Every structure is written in C-alpha cells, then in structure tokens.
C-alpha cells in the first residue's frame, strides 16, 4: 500500500489524531479515511480560530450641548491614555452631541445602542436620562451629574444598583458657599437674583442650600425660573425690577448651552454674578466656584477602564469631587466697575486678567 504523508500541524491537540492516523494507514483503509477526515476538521477549526479577530472596545460619548469643553475632552483622552487606551488603535470612540437640541438626545442615544458600544459616557443629567431610557444593559458612566440619586439614576451613591455609575458634582451642596463668596466680593450685598431651572433635578436642593446661607448672611433672594431660551432676557428684566445687586446661578444644561447670552446680559445689567462653571468666566463672566470638570473627566476614564475589564456599574460606587476651583475674571470686574477685595483675589485658584 502506498504511504501517504500528512503535512505538519502546529496545534498540540492535533498530534494524537496524527499519530492515530499514521498507525491506521497500513491496517485499515476505512479507519484511515475516518481519521483523515477528523484531522481535516480539526485543522479547519484551528484555522478559523487563528483568523478570529478580537473586538476592539468601543465607547460612546453622549452630550446635550456641543460636547465637553476642550479641556474636559482632553482630560478624558488623557485619562484613557494613562490607562493604555488610544483612540483609533486599541479603542474606538463614537461622539454624539445634541448641540443644545435636547429633543435629539433619545435619537442619539439609540444610535449608540445600535452600535453596541461597550460603555456610554454622558455629560450631565439630560444626557444620562436619555441613555438610561435607551438601554438597561450597556454600562453608563456619568461625568458630572449634580444629584444622581434625586434624578433616579442610582439607588444610592455607595450602591448604584443598576447599569449607571460615575461622578457627582456636589453642586447643590455648595450653593451656600458660592453665595458667601459673592457676599465677600460685594460686601454690602442684600438682594440677590437666583437663576435656575425648576425642572433640573438638583435645583430644589441647591435653592434650599442657598436660602439657608442667605438667612445667615441677611440676604433676600429672588428666584427666577428659566426653562427655555425665551425666559433668559425677561429674567434679567425681573432682576433689575427687583433691585438685585448680584446674581447667583444654580446651573443646568439649558443655562450652560446659552452661557454667552447669560454672560452678556449680566454685564449689560452691571450685575456681579457667581456662575457654576469656569466656562462662563472664560466667556466673560465675573467669577465661578465649583468642581474642576477636567478632573472629573479624567476620573471618568477610570470607570471606563474598570468596566471594560469586567466590573459591573452596580458594584462601582458613585464618587464625589475632590477638587474645586474659584476663578475670577478681572476684565469682567472692570467692565461693571467692581473692585475685587485683595483677600478674595488671593484665594482664587485662577485669575483671568
């Protein structure tokens, strides 16, 4: 019988089959044929295994506005790079920004779900809610939600309990501190207009904290509800009618999207204003005190890394901010004829001159 040679095999588990095949050749043609078929099947399986390509992890970014600030976006990428992730190499990022058109968020969130991204990173409660309604299985990492428990995103900060975790801004809790700083900048301050959106989840608590501080500081508050762009200019008209001597902003996605209009109206009204985000001060606003959004962005990358390595959002506690920034714009102060007391200026983390 003519001997048939079979090519070499590299998979260890093919060697026994090959030995059986060789031993069967002279004894039984039928056994030889069956063994040959078995070896070929194993060889094809090994070839298919070698051809399988590991799926590159993907992250979806979902923002209600035009996206994170340049510094915050750089912070997220910096955090990912530090952990070994580089967009376009070993990870892919899908960006979905609503450009201030909040009604688009459900559609954008659904797009990310259809793409089957591994994690969705959200900027703010409006985007987080859209992501939550779009999926109960894809992990969601919040970068800066002001009150995730009140928003219904997590059961508690220590035990989120669902597919959402991330970072809280503590914004409602520091409203009193922000009012105190405004009083230090304007020593005779007695009447303050408060800008907020009553449909923003953290707004009631933020207002309550401001009211407690106002009582101690002997300041009268005038709350002005802004729930749509058309409410912005009338709010400042009401502030002037109420003889406001300063403005305290409580924050929210709508106000953030229209920060340029708000900053311009505050300057036009010559009202010293305490904003929530440093982006308002960079846009020409007077000052802000709040969390460092770039730090939160970098820390969000840690959550993404843990989830990609198998951690469950339900088991990852929501973290609170550790860095706060007090930023003052001296150009804005000069524009409204205000002199910042030296002792307050010395405590600023950043001064725009």
């Amino acid at each position: 019988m003519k001997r048939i040679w079979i090519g070499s095999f590299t998979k260890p588990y093919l060697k026994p089959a090959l030995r059986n095949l060789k031993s069967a050749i002279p004894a039984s043609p039928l056994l030889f044929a069956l063994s040959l078929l078995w070896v070929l099947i194993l060889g094809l399986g090994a070839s298919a295994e070698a051809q399988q390509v590991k799926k590159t992890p993907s992250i979806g970014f979902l923002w209600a506005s035009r996206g994170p600030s340049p510094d915050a976006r750089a912070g997220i990428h910096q955090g990912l790079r530090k952990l070994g992730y580089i967009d376009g190499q070993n990870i892919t990022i899908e960006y979905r920004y609503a450009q201030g058109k909040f009604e688009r968020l459900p559609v954008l969130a659904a797009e990310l779900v259809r793409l089957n991204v591994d994690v969705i990173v959200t900027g703010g409660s409006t985007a987080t809610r859209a992501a939550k309604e779009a999926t109960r299985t894809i992990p969601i990492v919040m970068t800066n939600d002001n009150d995730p428990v009140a928003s219904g995103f997590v059961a508690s900060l220590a035990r989120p309990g669902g597919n959402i975790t991330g970072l809280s801004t503590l914004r409602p809790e520091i409203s009193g501190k922000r009012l105190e700083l405004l009083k230090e900048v304007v020593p005779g301050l007695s009447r303050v207009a408060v800008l907020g959106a009553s449909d923003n989840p953290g707004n009631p608590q933020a207002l309550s904290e401001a009211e407690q501080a106002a009582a101690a500081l002997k300041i009268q508050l005038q709350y002005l509800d802004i729930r749509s762009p058309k409410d912005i200019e009338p709010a400042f008209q009401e502030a002037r009618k109420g003889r406001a001597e300063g403005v305290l902003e409580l924050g929210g996605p709508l106000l953030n999207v229209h920060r340029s209009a708000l900053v311009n109206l505050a300057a036009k009204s010559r009202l010293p204003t305490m904003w929530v985000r440093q982006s308002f001060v960079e846009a020409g606003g007077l000052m802000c005190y709040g969390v460092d959004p770039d730090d939160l962005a970098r820390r969000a990358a840690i959550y993404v890394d843990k989830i990609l390595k198998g951690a469950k959002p339900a088991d990852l506690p929501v973290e609170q901010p550790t860095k706060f920034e007090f930023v003052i714009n001296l150009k804005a102060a000069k524009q409204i004829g205000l002199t910042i007391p030296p002792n307050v200026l010395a405590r600023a983390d950043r001064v725009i001159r």
Side-chain angles (χ1 to χ4, degrees):
M1 179 176 182
K2 186 176 181 180
R3 186 173 294 276
I4 301 175
W5 292 96
I6 307 297
S8 62
F9 295 89
T10 57
K11 291 290 182 181
Y13 56 76
L14 295 181
K15 292 180 179 179
L18 181 58
R19 286 196 298 269
N20 291 339
L21 173 61
K22 289 180 177 179
S23 64
I25 289 174
S28 169
L30 177 60
L31 182 57
F32 163 69
L34 292 174
S35 299
L36 177 61
L37 178 62
W38 176 241
V39 170
L40 290 174
I41 291 172
L42 288 177
L44 289 172
S47 176
E49 178 184 341
Q51 292 176 6
Q52 285 182 349
V53 179
K54 187 177 180 180
K55 178 181 179 290
T56 301
S58 58
I59 305 173
F61 279 18
L62 184 64
W63 250 254
S65 60
R66 298 174 180 85
S69 69
D71 288 342
R73 178 167 170 165
I76 296 175
H77 284 272
Q78 179 184 351
L80 289 171
R81 280 196 303 272
K82 188 175 180 180
L83 294 166
Y85 300 101
I86 300 176
D87 186 19
Q89 293 187 20
N90 60 352
I91 198 168
T92 59
I93 300 179
E94 296 287 342
Y95 301 95
R96 296 295 186 275
Y97 303 147
Q99 305 288 336
K101 299 177 180 178
F102 303 146
E103 68 278 5
R104 295 188 62 224
L105 281 169
V107 176
L108 298 178
E111 287 180 10
L112 294 176
V113 172
R114 283 197 298 272
L115 289 171
N116 196 29
V117 295
D118 295 283
V119 185
I120 297 176
V121 178
T122 60
S125 59
T126 309
T128 303
R129 186 167 305 284
K132 179 179 184 291
E133 293 174 354
T135 179
R136 293 291 190 272
T137 56
I138 296 176
I140 299 168
V141 174
M142 307 172 292
T143 58
N144 53 53
D145 193 274
N146 60 353
D147 197 341
V149 176
S151 298
F153 299 147
V154 298
S156 70
L157 298 184
R159 297 181 178 276
N163 66 320
I164 303 176
T165 187
L167 296 130
S168 171
T169 63
L170 272 182
R171 187 181 300 159
E173 289 87 340
I174 63 173
S175 294
K177 174 65 175 178
R178 297 171 63 242
L179 187 61
E180 289 175 11
L181 286 170
L182 185 60
K183 173 79 171 182
E184 288 189 63
V185 170
V186 187
L189 191 68
S190 62
R191 303 173 70 88
V192 172
V194 180
L195 304 181
S198 57
D199 55 354
N200 197 40
N203 195 73
Q205 185 181 350
L207 183 58
S208 176
E209 293 284 338
E211 287 172 341
Q212 292 179 39
L217 296 168
K218 295 181 173 52
I219 294 175
Q220 183 179 345
L221 300 183
Q222 176 190 13
Y223 180 71
L224 301 169
D225 195 15
I226 299 179
R227 299 187 60 175
S228 73
K230 66 182 182 181
D231 297 329
I232 294 175
E233 191 164 353
F236 279 91
Q237 292 172 356
E238 289 299 317
R240 290 192 294 271
K241 288 180 183 178
R243 292 179 289 125
E245 299 159 341
V247 174
L248 177 72
E249 183 231 351
L250 298 182
L254 176 67
L255 301 185
N256 186 41
V257 169
H258 297 279
R259 59 178 172 268
S260 294
L262 289 160
V263 165
N264 290 336
L265 283 167
K268 184 179 179 181
S269 303
R270 299 178 67 83
L271 287 171
T273 304
M274 170 63 79
W275 304 102
V276 167
R277 297 171 179 262
Q278 60 180 320
S279 56
F280 281 77
V281 184
E282 292 167 350
L286 177 63
M287 59 184 176
C288 74
Y289 177 75
V291 300
D292 180 355
D294 305 337
D295 179 60
L296 293 181
R298 284 188 291 270
R299 290 167 61 190
I302 298 174
Y303 280 91
V304 172
D305 176 56
K306 289 180 178 179
I307 289 170
L308 292 179
K309 290 178 177 175
K312 303 297 183 186
D315 302 326
L316 297 175
V318 175
E319 294 184 3
Q320 298 179 341
T322 56
K323 289 183 64 178
F324 296 84
E325 283 193 337
F326 181 30
V327 183
I328 298 174
N329 188 330
L330 290 182
K331 293 180 181 179
K334 183 178 181 180
Q335 185 178 7
I336 63 174
L338 179 69
T339 300
I340 306 294
N343 65 316
V344 177
L345 199 61
R347 283 158 37 209
D349 298 287
R350 180 184 170 198
V351 177
I352 299 176
R353 301 180 184 276

